[in-house]
Amino acid sequence: MVLRMKATARILNGIEIAAQIKAEVAEQARALAAGGITPGLAVVLVGHVAASEIYVRSKVKTCAELGMFSEMLTPPESVATEELLELIAGLNARDEIDGILIQLPLPAHVDTRRLLEAVSPEKDVDGFHPINVGRLQSSASHGVEAGTALAPCTPAGIMEILKRSGVPVAGQHAVVLGRSEIVGKPVAMMLLNASATVTVCHSKTVEIGRYTRDADILVAAIGRPGFVTPEMVKPGATLVDVGINRLTSLDEVERLFPGDKKRFDQFVQRGSTLVGDIHPAAFALAGAYTPVPGGVGALTIAMLMKNTVQAAKARRGAALLCEAGAGRSEEAAAKA
Ligand code: GUN
């Protein structure tokens, strides 16, 4: 008799991977501190968007935990683009600032593109400047280790999860749902750089399931709760869920978590619950998946910290080496 056991999907724990990366960053920050350099991050938060305020506080707190310096700038909602451009120019000019992050979204009257392009590419820890977007596009391999670009944090975090979990990427069919500048487009490019065969689906794609059913790696980044249903998933696939959707309606909770008493109780207690872009029932089919919360979201801040140290090393570490080199050649000249 052949017993068929259903394999349990492996959970790709973003919190654990983020903790590893943060420990590595703290080590690098200590090494830089020994050379007199404290990596510094400036975060610009315009107005009062509740979710942005929570993210930014978390970024500032993590800097302190890892031995890095941070500064938060909070212009009012009414600030003009020109004033913000001046503020960015000031940050570009300050030596102790290695990374500049402009928290998005900005108010509608602000010219977001102009601002992102005003950030010095060497301090662009979000990887949104066209120079860094271009470097990523022309890179032979993903990520900052390749020394090619400061890469956007969420996509870089996804690549770290796959790499550190031993999920093969080269030769696999990776399907990305979503074509945003922050996640969809850059992660598609990073997967391509890592030799996956990449398909990008979006709101105009006809019959998305045709593509997702063939995905070895499925990255969902479209901001629609539980969009990827079990019939859209190839059994054994790796599911990467970038969505963080807050459910506030009981109907939605019952649709996505039928019979899940724990989830229902949580909803009653808190008035909301989180779900990703992948339907929870689809995870049972996966070979591996990132949970929500505790998956991709956990990596974003860790990758921002990694980028900030990388930017400090590239800009000030190089300067230090040059100074040391100049010192040696002066000594050599004196001896000659
Ligand atoms: N808002 C949501 N995600 C991001 C991000 O990765 N960077 C910035 N600057 N703002 C965001």
Side-chain angles (χ1 to χ4, degrees):
M1 188 177 70
V2 179
L3 264 185
R4 283 195 191 282
M5 302 278 288
K6 198 182 137 332
T8 315
R10 182 159 63 112
I11 298 176
L12 307 177
N13 187 326
I15 296 172
E16 278 175 20
I17 296 171
Q20 280 171 16
I21 293 169
K22 284 193 257 182
E24 291 162 14
V25 171
E27 183 58 45
Q28 290 174 25
R30 271 194 294 277
L32 282 169
I37 296 171
T38 304
L41 173 70
V43 182
V44 180
L45 173 66
V46 178
H48 296 285
V49 178
S52 294
E53 282 174 349
I54 293 170
Y55 289 138
V56 163
R57 266 201 296 275
S58 199
K59 288 166 186 175
V60 166
K61 184 166 156 259
T62 311
C63 278
E65 284 166 6
L66 304 189
M68 292 158 62
F69 155 77
S70 73
E71 196 168 293
M72 194 166 142
L73 299 104
T74 55
E77 172 90 21
S78 58
V79 70
T81 301
E82 296 303 330
E83 288 172 84
L84 287 170
L85 286 169
E86 274 172 37
L87 186 144
I88 300 297
L91 294 172
N92 282 340
R94 284 174 55 194
D95 192 47
E96 75 277 21
I97 299 292
D98 297 291
I100 302 170
L101 179 136
I102 305 167
Q103 185 66 31
L104 302 178
L106 290 168
H109 69 272
V110 173
D111 186 338
T112 301
R113 187 52 32 220
R114 262 182 90 195
L115 280 188
L116 296 179
E117 292 188 13
V119 173
S120 163
E122 59 184 1
K123 297 189 177 188
D124 170 36
V125 283
D126 250 330
F128 293 163
H129 190 285
I131 291 268
N132 287 320
V133 175
R135 283 184 182 147
L136 182 65
Q137 136 90 47
S138 58
S139 158
S141 63
H142 78 271
V144 287
E145 277 114 340
T148 51
L150 286 166
C153 300
T154 301
I158 293 171
M159 298 308 292
E160 285 290 339
I161 291 179
L162 297 175
K163 189 164 95 185
R164 292 178 189 239
S165 308
V167 174
V169 176
Q172 302 296 293
H173 184 199
V175 176
V176 178
L177 305 186
R179 54 175 159 174
S180 70
E181 307 289 332
I182 296 183
V183 183
K185 282 188 199 172
V187 81
M189 189 53 65
M190 290 180 195
L191 287 161
L192 181 61
N193 287 343
S195 300
T197 300
V198 182
T199 302
V200 181
C201 300
H202 46 78
S203 55
K204 298 281 189 292
T205 302
V206 177
E207 227 268 271
I208 284 184
R210 277 197 291 164
Y211 306 99
T212 60
R213 273 190 287 279
D214 188 53
D216 302 306
I217 299 169
L218 179 59
V219 180
I222 40 171
R224 289 175 61 180
F227 177 83
V228 178
T229 51
E231 43 308 341
M232 293 169 72
V233 170
K234 173 156 114 178
T238 298
L239 304 181
V240 178
D241 196 345
V242 187
I244 302 178
N245 308 293
R246 189 168 291 281
L247 301 183
T248 52
S249 117
L250 183 57
D251 282 355
E252 278 279 86
V253 176
E254 282 173 346
R255 176 177 77 82
L256 290 159
F257 301 97
D260 185 337
K261 181 164 176 330
K262 208 167 133 204
R263 191 62 80 135
F264 180 80
D265 289 348
Q266 188 198 61
F267 177 75
V268 171
Q269 198 190 2
R270 299 187 189 164
S272 70
T273 189
L274 293 182
V275 71
D277 291 350
I278 299 180
H279 195 296
F283 293 134
L285 288 171
Y289 71 94
T290 63
V292 175
V296 174
L299 265 292
T300 302
I301 293 183
M303 297 313 291
L304 174 66
M305 300 297 122
K306 188 172 175 183
N307 276 357
T308 304
V309 166
Q310 168 77 20
K313 275 203 227 164
R315 195 174 58 85
R316 294 203 272 166
L320 260 191
L321 286 177
C322 291
E323 276 165 30
R328 270 197 302 276
S329 49
E330 275 158 28
E331 259 173 52
K335 277 186 195 155

